[in-house]
Amino acid sequence: MINSSSVFRRHRASVKVYVPKVSRDNHYLIAEMPLTDKLIELVVGKIDTSEDKPYQKFYQKLGRLALNAVEECDIAHANFVANNRLVRVRHNEEQQVLHTEKQSFFFYSPLHNSTFKGYFDGAVRSNKIKFLFLATGDNLREDAAEFHEKVISAVELISTRIGLEKDDLKVRDHQHLTYDIFARQKGNKESITHTFREISARYLHQGYPVPETASAITYAVVSMPMTRRLLKDTKIDYDAEKPFEVLYEKISAAFTNAVEKHHLKHATMLANGMSPIVRLDKEKQTIINGDIISLGYDPEEEGADISSQWEGDKLVDTVQLIFCATNSDETHNTYGKFVNTVTQAINTMAEDLNWNKERDYLLMRLNQQLLRRI
């Protein structure tokens, strides 16, 4: 007879995830609100739209108000953004901000970067106001709940001082863990253990409960570079109208086979040069805005939703593989099983594509996101 406690221990062990010690953490929160006439009135009163930069004083005053709140709440790194661009955050040792037509990329290291800066054009009325709060320190995961509460305190302070109504501000808590799935094959043998507990459950355990009205989504994005090996192993007719169609069909077939073999429910392959964002959406809509593709997933939907999108006449630098967790992927408030299953699917796909694990990377970014209103 098998002891029930040993069965439980084995089950719990099965949802642990061993990730390379060289993995990178990011934690940030974005508070946003629409830029309405009412908001302008509350901050600076009437403005003269005939001026060259009619919104300059509004942005400056709102930025100062936010900076004061940030300092009072002891937050080291924050930004004020009003430029009609999507905010992206990535880990990098060198602190810098890069702007494309539709996106603003904030590169920073949690270990040694801290600043407060505004990004706006006083001549342009932005659609939204965003406050970006970046976690700092060397224990982001352990300190996540405390940082979340600091940010919520700052956002509430900003809201109160402006005179906003309740729920006018929407706050998204983002937590990333990024690593090469084949880091071990490249000699990085040391690993650390994660269970990927659901954010609200982790915060509650640490004494910081979040409202029951908050919603959450968990997903993984795997970046596959377009390697020379992939191209050489495919018979490509470069004189054809869509020369890369056969290449993407091959990658898509390997992707679909891996997803179905490992029983993943919501997955998308992108090879069209677009930058994906993932959001919780009951309608599961796909929205394209310039070079951004917004993928809506419903974690409560258990039916299979597997798709591939590409442009056969365009050779992309990177193929993006997106996997969204469903509610059934969460066990005992953790997503460890989901992460392990995605890893197994990528291994299957790599074998089908003759991937060089010792040299070429497959970068996985695990994302957990919590949405609440203030």
Side-chain angles (χ1 to χ4, degrees):
M1 180 177 178
I2 301 175
N3 185 283
S4 60
S5 63
S6 66
V7 172
F8 179 76
R9 283 195 299 271
R10 283 204 301 273
H11 175 73
R12 294 294 291 168
S14 69
V15 298
K16 289 182 180 179
V17 182
Y18 298 92
V19 303
K21 193 173 182 180
V22 292
S23 60
R24 304 189 300 271
D25 273 309
N26 275 95
H27 182 201
Y28 62 97
L29 285 84
I30 300 175
E32 67 177 45
M33 57 184 168
L35 203 173
T36 61
D37 292 340
K38 176 185 174 183
L39 178 60
I40 294 174
E41 179 71 27
L42 287 169
V43 175
V44 293
K46 298 293 183 181
I47 62 171
D48 184 357
T49 56
S50 66
E51 294 180 353
D52 290 339
K53 293 187 175 182
Y55 304 102
Q56 185 76 14
K57 290 182 180 178
F58 165 73
Y59 290 143
Q60 288 176 337
K61 186 171 180 179
L62 185 54
R64 286 196 302 271
L65 185 152
L67 173 59
N68 290 336
V70 164
E71 290 185 335
E72 288 179 40
C73 295
D74 192 30
I75 296 172
H77 199 160
N79 294 277
F80 169 64
V81 185
N83 61 9
N84 285 329
R85 292 182 174 93
L86 175 71
V87 171
R88 299 278 205 177
V89 176
R90 296 292 183 266
H91 188 289
N92 196 54
E93 290 304 305
E94 180 183 357
Q95 179 176 310
Q96 59 180 321
V97 180
L98 301 177
H99 304 286
T100 67
E101 182 182 354
K102 296 291 184 179
Q103 302 178 79
S104 290
F105 289 88
F106 290 79
F107 296 92
Y108 90 112
S109 167
L111 292 177
H112 49 72
N113 292 156
S114 63
T115 187
F116 184 92
K117 189 175 180 181
Y119 297 88
F120 55 83
D121 181 347
V124 178
R125 176 169 173 163
S126 180
N127 294 324
K128 293 180 180 180
I129 297 295
K130 299 177 183 178
F131 305 102
L132 170 62
F133 305 90
L134 298 153
T136 56
D138 55 2
N139 291 302
L140 298 192
R141 185 164 290 268
E142 292 83 352
D143 298 336
E146 182 180 355
F147 180 67
H148 179 96
E149 284 301 300
K150 278 186 178 182
V151 170
I152 295 302
S153 295
V155 172
E156 289 176 340
L157 200 54
I158 292 169
S159 180
T160 299
R161 289 178 178 175
I162 294 174
L164 297 175
E165 299 291 333
K166 186 175 176 58
D167 292 341
D168 277 357
L169 274 160
K170 180 167 57 177
V171 181
R172 284 191 174 89
D173 186 326
H174 299 259
Q175 296 179 32
H176 297 173
L177 182 69
T178 307
Y179 58 92
D180 178 8
I181 290 177
F182 301 127
R184 174 173 287 273
Q185 285 85 347
K186 297 179 181 64
N188 297 298
K189 304 294 185 181
E190 291 186 88
S191 64
I192 53 179
T193 305
H194 280 280
T195 54
F196 294 101
R197 183 179 297 179
E198 198 271 331
I199 290 180
S200 59
R202 177 151 41 94
Y203 287 180
L204 180 61
H205 180 73
Q206 295 177 353
Y208 296 94
V210 299
E212 292 185 1
T213 53
S215 58
I217 188 169
T218 295
Y219 60 97
V221 179
V222 178
S223 297
M224 171 184 286
M226 187 56 66
T227 65
R228 184 183 178 191
R229 179 185 289 265
L230 266 178
L231 295 171
K232 289 184 67 177
D233 286 354
T234 308
K235 293 182 179 180
I236 298 174
D237 180 2
Y238 288 92
D239 293 324
E241 183 179 348
K242 295 183 177 181
F244 308 110
E245 191 81 13
V246 63
L247 171 65
Y248 296 141
E249 287 176 346
K250 173 183 174 179
I251 297 173
S252 177
F255 170 72
T256 302
N257 172 63
V259 168
E260 292 179 345
K261 178 179 179 180
H262 296 282
H263 309 292
L264 289 161
K265 299 293 181 61
H266 299 169
T268 303
M269 171 197 139
L270 292 179
N272 52 16
M274 290 189 176
S275 184
I277 61 173
V278 175
R279 70 187 195 287
L280 193 155
D281 179 12
K282 298 291 185 182
E283 302 299 321
K284 299 184 292 184
Q285 298 181 80
T286 295
I287 301 171
I288 295 175
N289 180 16
D291 63 346
I292 300 170
I293 183 166
S294 178
L295 303 171
Y297 295 102
D298 180 7
E300 295 182 1
E301 176 61 54
E302 295 294 337
D305 180 13
I306 304 167
S307 63
S308 297
Q309 301 180 36
W310 67 77
E311 295 180 15
D313 60 346
K314 179 191 296 184
L315 181 63
V316 297
D317 296 321
T318 305
V319 176
Q320 305 279 356
L321 311 171
I322 300 98
F323 305 87
C324 185
T326 65
N327 286 352
S328 64
D329 289 319
E330 182 185 13
T331 59
H332 301 287
N333 292 322
T334 82
Y335 284 97
K337 182 175 181 290
F338 167 72
V339 176
N340 284 333
T341 303
V342 170
T343 302
Q344 291 163 8
I346 294 300
N347 270 284
T348 296
M349 187 175 176
E351 293 296 328
D352 288 347
L353 295 175
N354 191 29
W355 198 257
N356 188 332
K357 300 177 183 180
E358 291 75 24
R359 187 181 67 185
D360 298 324
Y361 71 85
L362 278 174
L363 200 65
M364 172 131 79
R365 187 174 69 253
L366 300 168
N367 301 262
Q368 290 186 288
Q369 184 183 137
L370 182 75
L371 171 64
R372 61 184 291 187
R373 290 188 176 273
I374 303 298

